[in-house]
Amino acid sequence: MTAPDAEPAPEPEPASPVGPEPSGPAGPAPADRELSVRERAVLALERRSWAGPGAKERAIREELGISPVRYFQLLNALIEDERALREDPVTVNRLRRLREARRDRR
């Protein structure tokens, strides 16, 4: 006797993560999550020096595809992020010092 062709049982789907990753200013990012590609690109752009006026803004639009205003919003959030500090302590600490100096002048 031959057994009828039976379809194999479907494999169980892998468990989904606990929840979606927060995106944007909705809440703080988990400490164990790494920086996104965009966040790393913002830090890399900020590490560079700029020859003349408008060069940085042009690079922001061309390389990141965002407006300078959005860039600085992302940058200000990043310098508060401990993950960014671990990723690039020299740049983050320099930006924090500049921000404090501006606050002191006011």
Side-chain angles (χ1 to χ4, degrees):
M1 251 175 120
T2 325
D5 289 329
E7 289 186 32
E11 292 184 28
E13 293 185 28
S16 63
V18 174
E21 290 184 20
S23 60
D32 59 342
R33 191 180 68 117
E34 291 185 19
L35 292 177
S36 70
V37 172
R38 178 189 271 187
E39 291 167 330
R40 283 193 174 103
V42 167
L43 286 174
L45 197 81
E46 197 58 35
R47 273 192 300 269
R48 294 167 36 188
S49 59
W50 303 99
K56 183 175 185 177
E57 287 75 12
R58 192 169 33 259
I60 291 168
R61 289 185 190 282
E62 292 174 0
E63 295 175 25
L64 300 178
I66 59 177
S67 72
V69 170
R70 181 66 182 140
Y71 170 84
F72 286 108
Q73 290 171 340
L74 292 170
L75 182 62
N76 282 323
L78 261 179
I79 63 176
E80 293 298 323
D81 194 330
E82 292 302 313
R83 297 171 304 135
L85 183 62
R86 285 192 304 271
E87 178 84 19
D88 191 349
V90 173
T91 301
V92 172
N93 283 324
R94 177 179 56 84
L95 293 169
R96 286 179 176 181
R97 283 191 307 272
L98 288 170
R99 181 181 58 189
E100 288 302 314
R102 271 189 237 107
R103 283 184 184 166
D104 291 345
R105 285 192 300 248
R106 292 183 192 168

